[in-house]
Amino acid sequence: MPKPIHGWREFINEVGIIIIGVGIALAAEQAIETAHWNHVVAEEDAAMVVEIRANHAALLARVMMQPCIDRRLAELGDVFRRHDAGQPLGLIAPIGRPTTFTGGKTTLAMATADQSLSHMSLGRKAAIFDTYGSYDVFIPVANEERSSWRSLQALNHAASLDQADWRDLRKAFDAVTDNNITMKANLQRDRGGQWLTPFAVFPKLDSARLMQAVHIYPYVQQLCRPAIRHLEAGG
């Protein structure tokens, strides 16, 4: 049975005990919640780093194919000039095409939905969103480039092309050339403010392994081999 309280001092002591008890309970609850969010945020952050690395790989893979793309576009320019001049095209091999590596945003969506992002520091959130922003700008250009290169594959059957086909091929060639200019302007690793810049604060990729992954595709191997007989050799 509760005992009657005698005097203000005893009352204040009782109230103080209650307040301290409530404070301890709230502090324990807060500690548990903080520990929970620290665990969730750590897991989500690690998962997003994996996804960010995949997105980074998509951009770097395009950088690694750049020398082959430049050489092939120069050769294709010769092919169109030869066609205009009524000369033999000199095609000796498939023209190939670059591949498009893709990443994703699934983990970012999960971290947003479960509110773990809201428990990260402002600097960390900014770093994460900057990488996804770069990927979002890159991937439409990469997809458009892939579509145009697929259209150019008709040159592998050049003997069966008519004038309408050649008009379509010129449009595809112009589109690929424009895409290439955009890619080269924004995928420079030694310049700030480019698509690759936000990834610098995250762990570096294994470039050797990525290069192997890029060149495992037959059409990339074709892209990096000569496709025409040059004029100096009797083209």
Side-chain angles (χ1 to χ4, degrees):
M1 296 292 292
K3 298 179 181 180
I5 297 176
H6 304 288
W8 284 105
R9 179 174 295 180
E10 190 173 344
F11 173 76
I12 292 172
N13 287 340
E14 292 291 337
V15 171
I17 291 172
I18 294 172
I19 291 174
I20 292 172
V22 171
I24 292 173
L26 290 175
E29 182 181 2
Q30 184 64 44
I32 292 172
E33 184 176 0
T34 299
H36 164 74
W37 279 115
N38 286 343
H39 175 71
V40 171
V41 167
E43 284 192 331
E44 295 279 14
D45 187 275
M48 278 190 289
V49 168
V50 172
E51 190 168 70
I52 287 168
R53 285 167 64 88
N55 295 346
H56 189 193
L59 276 68
L60 277 184
R62 178 57 179 75
V63 173
M64 291 176 175
M65 290 181 285
Q66 189 62 59
C68 296
I69 292 170
D70 286 340
R71 286 193 296 269
R72 181 64 83 241
L73 288 179
E75 289 184 329
L76 292 179
D78 286 340
V79 168
F80 283 102
R81 283 189 289 272
R82 292 175 186 183
H83 174 263
D84 292 343
Q87 299 174 340
L89 301 180
L91 286 164
I92 58 175
I95 66 170
R97 62 180 175 85
T99 189
T100 301
F101 281 53
T102 57
K105 301 177 67 176
T106 302
T107 307
L108 176 65
M110 291 173 56
T112 302
D114 67 16
Q115 298 184 346
S116 59
L117 266 176
S118 65
H119 290 80
M120 294 183 182
S121 69
L122 180 61
R124 187 62 172 177
K125 284 188 286 190
I128 288 170
F129 275 101
D130 282 348
T131 66
Y132 283 101
S134 285
Y135 179 76
D136 283 344
V137 175
F138 162 80
I139 204 64
V141 181
N143 288 336
E144 182 181 343
E145 183 178 54
R146 175 171 58 183
S147 177
S148 298
W149 273 101
R150 284 177 171 170
S151 298
L152 288 173
Q153 300 306 297
L155 283 168
N156 294 332
H157 314 283
S160 63
L161 299 177
D162 58 24
Q163 286 304 112
D165 294 327
W166 278 100
R167 284 195 296 270
D168 291 339
L169 283 169
R170 289 180 188 279
K171 292 179 182 178
F173 179 69
D174 289 343
V176 164
T177 301
D178 287 343
N179 290 144
N180 188 49
I181 292 171
T182 300
M183 290 290 196
K184 291 177 71 172
N186 290 284
L187 288 175
Q188 299 185 41
R189 284 182 278 190
D190 58 347
R191 287 177 57 186
Q194 304 295 302
W195 294 345
L196 290 169
T197 303
F199 296 94
V201 299
F202 292 90
K204 292 184 178 180
L205 297 174
D206 187 335
S207 297
R209 290 186 61 184
L210 181 58
M211 181 70 80
Q212 290 177 349
V214 168
H215 286 84
I216 199 172
Y217 296 96
Y219 40 82
V220 176
Q221 296 173 9
Q222 293 170 354
L223 178 72
C224 293
R225 292 195 291 260
I228 70 170
R229 186 184 306 110
H230 292 283
L231 292 175
E232 293 78 4

